[in-house]
Amino acid sequence: MATVENLTRVYTINLGRAWLTPQHKRTDRVVNMIREFAQKHMKSDEIKLEQELNRQLWSRGKTNPPRNVRVKMVKDE
């Protein structure tokens, strides 16, 4: 068998579309948008967000998440 290396990429995700959802659901929507983005680009169903990323998203509360976020994605086989 050939050895499979970890696939690592850095993305900047635009989260501005979260502002189309109701104010009290924005950060929830942002978390789902990041999961959907990761599923699409990393071609995997199992997505785990690091605690540090989660804290950054929720740091400004439920109604005012960041507009953009820069993430490093790693795909483990």
Side-chain angles (χ1 to χ4, degrees), residues 22-76:
Q23 196 174 24
H24 63 283
K25 294 182 180 177
R26 280 185 189 156
T27 303
D28 296 320
R29 177 68 182 122
V30 162
V31 172
N32 288 335
M33 288 172 69
I34 292 172
R35 285 186 191 279
E36 291 166 6
F37 185 93
Q39 283 180 347
K40 180 178 176 183
H41 289 272
M42 301 305 275
K43 295 179 176 46
S44 175
D45 292 332
E46 186 180 339
I47 305 297
K48 295 180 182 177
L49 300 182
E50 277 197 0
Q51 201 171 26
E52 189 177 328
L53 172 62
N54 196 43
R55 283 197 182 115
Q56 182 188 355
L57 296 175
W58 286 93
S59 64
R60 298 194 291 183
K62 196 163 186 169
T63 60
N64 192 28
R67 294 274 181 163
N68 298 303
V69 69
R70 193 166 176 85
V71 294
K72 178 180 175 183
M73 295 186 189
V74 179
K75 183 174 183 179
D76 294 325

